[in-house]
Amino acid sequence: MRLFDSRTLPPAETLDRLHDAYESSLFPSRLEHIDTDAPGGLVTTLDLYPMGACAVAATESTGFHLTRNRQSIARNRGAALSVPIVSGGELDYLGRRTVVGPRDLSVIDSEQLQSFRQPSHGTGTLFQVPRELLDLPQQVIIDGAGNLERSPLYRTAQRFFAALFRDAERISADPLAAEAAQRAGVDLLRALLISAAPPRRDVKDRFADTFVTRALALAHDDLRDPSLSLDSLAARMNVSRRYAYARFAEAGVSFEQWVIERRLRRVAGTLSSRRFARVPIGSVAHAWGFRSVSHFQRRFRETYGASPAQWRLRALGEQGDG
């Protein structure tokens, strides 16, 4: 949903109206146009895609400087965290000045002083989360936000939020998908912050709560590894085998079944692609971590009601008919 488009306004009103749009939909901020060489002055669009109690906001703009000072913080409508990915700029936050690249992930607390400078035309997208949804002490949020790249979930979070931002409009249009995206985003953000921050006694229970989320995020990246198991994940995450199995039992999740279902989805997708039409089915199964082709064939038929060969023939035939 487009909230703001400077091209529909007289140039003299653009900055004030953009300031109002940020304050009403995101958070109070001081905005300054700094790209004085841009033809036509400040050119900005702002789109907002609700996802349950959260939202994805996307901007495209000529250069600007955004500042959150004590006066801005005092006008907060409620504490929130933002997870932005921007095309580039300079972030001053938590006493650190950082050059932010197009793949870098940040977590910004709306109750902290901050400054972001985008010197020229660029884009930015953020996932905004009411802080009460995370249920974490503020110090854990601050400590984790300052050390995100230490978390083993950092790359997984990068990929998740990049995909969420890319499909935000389509996801937001489906209420069930939007609610699921909110839950997944909040769970992953909580796990990311906890795993990036130094261990604390007061988040021990929350650390346990996020164990399954963190374990499945790591497993998702290792689906091609035939040796992937809950035992191997427990060793990587520095917990005992007993602890890992107990957490999955509490969550009602079968790790083995979860892995098989994800691998089968990847195989089905590969078999449906003309790019891999000449790759033997057994090779595709092995590539996605199945040790036994006969076991794979049986599980595939049970799940999809057709053999892998029938599935491929049908999928490629339908593409040809289209």
Side-chain angles (χ1 to χ4, degrees):
M1 177 176 64
R2 177 141 296 179
L3 294 184
F4 182 86
D5 189 340
S6 64
R7 294 167 296 187
T8 65
L9 299 170
E13 298 180 16
T14 299
L15 195 58
D16 287 341
R17 296 281 290 275
L18 178 60
H19 179 278
D20 293 342
Y22 264 78
E23 183 143 346
S24 62
S25 60
L26 297 175
F27 37 73
S29 307
R30 180 178 180 273
L31 289 165
E32 176 187 2
H33 181 222
I34 59 174
D35 192 0
T36 55
D37 294 332
L42 177 63
V43 179
T44 302
T45 59
L46 171 62
D47 297 292
L48 192 70
Y49 305 107
M51 296 191 182
C54 302
V56 168
T59 66
E60 182 174 359
S61 178
T62 48
F64 67 92
H65 183 201
L66 181 149
T67 306
R68 294 263 302 150
N69 54 26
R70 298 192 187 281
Q71 289 75 23
S72 302
I73 293 171
R75 298 199 309 275
N76 263 3
R77 292 176 292 114
L81 295 183
S82 299
V83 184
I85 296 180
V86 298
S87 56
E90 186 178 87
L91 175 66
D92 195 338
Y93 178 63
L94 297 178
R96 302 176 184 176
R97 181 164 295 176
T98 309
V99 176
V100 183
R103 291 178 54 83
D104 294 334
L105 197 66
S106 306
V107 176
I108 309 297
D109 186 341
S110 69
E111 295 199 322
Q112 301 296 318
L113 301 175
Q114 58 196 260
S115 168
F116 177 73
R117 179 183 293 270
Q118 178 183 293
S120 58
H121 180 273
T123 60
T125 313
L126 61 84
F127 181 62
Q128 189 168 26
V129 182
R131 201 167 67 191
E132 63 267 19
L133 288 185
L134 285 177
D135 191 24
L136 290 176
Q138 186 173 23
Q139 193 58 49
V140 173
I141 294 172
I142 292 173
D143 291 344
N147 297 284
L148 289 181
E149 293 189 20
R150 293 183 183 178
S151 169
L153 295 175
Y154 181 75
R155 288 190 301 167
T156 299
Q158 279 181 311
R159 288 191 290 270
F160 172 84
F161 286 110
L164 178 66
F165 295 165
R166 184 177 60 247
D167 296 331
E169 183 174 9
R170 184 166 58 90
I171 293 171
S172 179
D174 183 331
L176 291 178
E179 190 69 29
Q182 173 200 289
R183 290 195 301 270
V186 171
D187 285 348
L188 182 55
L189 177 57
R190 183 187 298 116
L192 175 67
L193 289 168
I194 289 176
S195 58
R200 289 166 53 108
R201 290 183 180 179
D202 56 351
V203 294
K204 182 178 179 181
D205 291 341
R206 304 305 292 150
F207 190 83
D209 290 345
T210 64
F211 177 81
V212 171
T213 299
R214 290 182 287 119
L216 294 182
L218 292 175
H220 185 274
D221 291 340
D222 290 341
L223 288 174
R224 292 181 180 273
D225 182 358
S227 66
L228 174 63
S229 68
L230 192 49
D231 288 13
S232 65
L233 276 183
R236 285 180 60 188
M237 299 174 75
N238 296 315
V239 299
S240 69
R241 178 179 182 274
R242 180 178 179 182
Y243 179 91
Y245 278 87
R247 297 289 80 76
F248 270 82
E250 289 171 359
V253 177
S254 165
F255 179 77
E256 180 182 6
Q257 186 63 28
W258 183 93
V259 170
I260 289 174
E261 288 175 356
R262 267 64 185 177
R263 284 174 171 165
L264 288 173
R265 289 181 195 174
R266 300 305 188 276
V267 172
T270 304
L271 294 179
S272 300
S273 171
R274 289 198 175 278
R275 179 183 175 188
F276 302 103
R278 296 183 178 276
V279 178
I281 290 174
S283 297
V284 175
H286 287 310
W288 282 111
F290 286 98
R291 294 180 186 271
S292 166
V293 174
S294 60
H295 171 71
F296 154 72
Q297 297 263 10
R298 178 174 60 81
R299 294 303 298 262
F300 192 97
R301 184 182 287 275
E302 289 174 355
T303 301
Y304 293 102
S307 70
Q310 291 169 333
W311 175 273
R312 169 182 266 176
L313 188 63
R314 185 185 308 159
L316 297 182
E318 289 174 353
Q319 292 177 31
D321 294 341

